[in-house]
Amino acid sequence: MNPQPTARSAPTTGGDALIRTLPHLHRRAQSELLPDVWAYIDSGAGSEITVDANEDAFRTWRLSPRQLAGITTVDTTASFLGLRLAAPVLTAPIGCDGLLHPDGQRGIVEAAAECGIAAVVSEASGLALEDVAAAATGPKMMQVHARGDVGDFLAMAERAHAAGYTALCVTIDCPVLGWRERLRRLSVTVDPKHFSGNHSDGRFAAELLGETGSAWTWHTLADVAARLPLPLVIKGVLSAADATHALDCGAQAIVVSNHGGRQLDSAPATLDQLPEVLEVIDGQTQVAIDGGFRTGADVFKALALGADAVLLGRSVAMGLALAGAVGVANVVELFLAELRRTMLLAGCARVSDINADLLRRRP
């Protein structure tokens, strides 16, 4: 497929914001992006049951505001892994970035820095991690997959450390790519150059696109974790059992994630699994979450249920595809603006004021 241009017509920024609302973002991306690019961003695994479940989980909760709280402004600043952020929000690792826009990961890290949040940079990028780091003026973490040769994995970790990344985010739910039914139906293929910028020999692409999974176990990850030069974040935890394993590996943060519904279809929604994971973690390490976030109110709900931070994936990918770094910054600012408004209306002056007392489960 020909990845350029990603939009049927170049987005016009002019004097107005590119996107005024987050639902507008989705409508515009679907209408303006090439069908195969839209399918790559929007699709999930199998019948996309988990994609739908991620979004539906937010609809099961209603907000119970505290009126007349006497506040006129809110403070969204937060700390995650020792990083001081403008809000408890990070950009999720987004692979095949060159397919979406020439800015790629560089555009994502530039936008994240502009918005005062951290970026998690994907290993499956068309750009080398060093090139992305050179464009980053804000905090950044490096995402790598728990698969392949251990020596190669540790070499990647050393490269990330040398390039100034603050943590290593290890994705554990991708021993092989999920069965992407919609992409197969539309015969969408992606040139390996868009996800092999960190690997020159083609082995990474061959293994990821292959039919057999990785042989890694929790014992493998524990052994590797003891030799890492950076703090460890484990992404892809969905159960109490795996949360316990993550703690045993020395994770300094975990991400409750089902890969946005793109790996194992019929996996549970991340918001539904968050309480189970938090019960096991019991404050021993920080917990972030991704999957299904479409509004700033969704971010508020996850924080109220106990998450320390939220990772934004699909919406950021849409912003990137529409307008590069400008589009990403636009999308992130919309999330943060709606989060601030939700906090104000709910009676929360600070992120620490957001708690489960402000939620009611829908009958």
Side-chain angles (χ1 to χ4, degrees), residues 76-78 84-91 107-119 137-139 312 316 325-337 340:
T76 61
T77 57
R84 192 67 175 166
L85 306 176
V89 172
L90 302 86
T91 61
I108 296 174
V109 297
E110 288 170 1
E114 179 182 337
C115 297
I117 65 171
T137 58
L312 302 177
V316 166
V326 172
V328 174
N330 186 180
V331 167
V332 172
E333 286 295 353
L334 281 173
F335 270 98
L336 301 191
R340 291 191 295 268

Side-chain angles (χ1 to χ4, degrees), residues 36-325:
D36 43 10
V37 175
W38 168 252
Y40 175 77
I41 294 173
D42 189 59
S43 66
S47 301
E48 301 183 1
I49 293 170
T50 299
V51 173
D52 293 338
N54 276 342
E55 296 187 43
D56 288 343
F58 289 99
R59 301 187 184 101
T60 67
W61 294 99
R62 296 290 184 263
L63 300 181
S64 179
R66 298 295 177 260
Q67 309 294 10
L68 298 178
I71 59 175
T72 57
T73 60
V74 297
D75 178 9
T76 61
T77 57
S79 177
F80 188 73
L81 274 182
L83 301 173
R84 192 67 175 166
L85 306 176
V89 172
L90 302 86
T91 61
I94 296 171
C96 297
D97 48 330
L99 172 70
L100 308 181
H101 194 277
D103 287 356
Q105 301 285 337
R106 284 188 294 247
I108 296 174
V109 297
E110 288 170 1
E114 179 182 337
C115 297
I117 65 171
V120 184
V121 175
S122 175
E123 175 187 13
S125 168
L127 299 169
L129 64 90
E130 293 85 359
D131 293 335
V132 178
T137 58
K140 57 197 177 298
M141 303 178 197
M142 184 66 204
Q143 177 262 347
V144 291
H145 296 77
R147 57 166 301 111
D149 181 79
V150 168
D152 291 342
F153 180 96
L154 290 171
M156 182 74 67
E158 291 292 347
R159 286 174 58 192
H161 182 234
Y165 290 82
T166 60
L168 203 69
C169 179
V170 179
T171 292
I172 62 172
D173 62 359
C174 194
V176 67
L177 282 183
W179 186 265
R180 310 281 171 89
E181 185 72 32
R182 200 188 324 176
L183 299 187
R184 289 172 177 267
R185 189 169 63 248
L186 297 174
S187 299
V188 175
T189 58
V190 179
D191 191 323
K193 72 179 182 181
H194 293 307
F195 58 89
S196 300
N198 285 303
H199 302 273
S200 59
D201 61 5
R203 187 169 52 180
F204 175 76
E207 291 176 348
L208 204 59
L209 298 174
E211 296 296 325
T212 57
S214 168
W216 277 46
T217 67
W218 282 107
H219 293 295
T220 311
L221 183 54
D223 178 65
V224 166
R227 293 184 276 169
L228 291 179
L230 290 167
L232 172 65
V233 180
I234 296 180
K235 179 177 180 288
V237 173
L238 283 174
S239 66
D242 280 352
T244 300
H245 286 307
L247 287 176
D248 291 342
C249 287
Q252 288 164 272
I254 68 167
V255 182
V256 179
S257 174
N258 53 30
H259 221 99
R262 296 165 72 83
Q263 279 300 100
L264 176 64
D265 199 25
S266 291
T270 53
L271 197 71
D272 290 341
Q273 295 306 107
L274 180 61
E276 176 182 324
V277 172
L278 287 170
E279 184 176 0
V280 171
I281 297 300
D282 193 27
Q284 296 177 72
T285 192
Q286 288 188 294
V287 177
I289 182 174
D290 68 6
F293 289 86
R294 298 294 179 264
T295 68
D298 290 344
V299 174
F300 183 96
K301 291 175 183 180
L303 298 175
L305 286 172
D308 295 297
V310 166
L311 276 66
L312 302 177
R314 271 189 178 85
S315 295
V316 166
M318 291 176 199
L320 178 68
L322 283 169

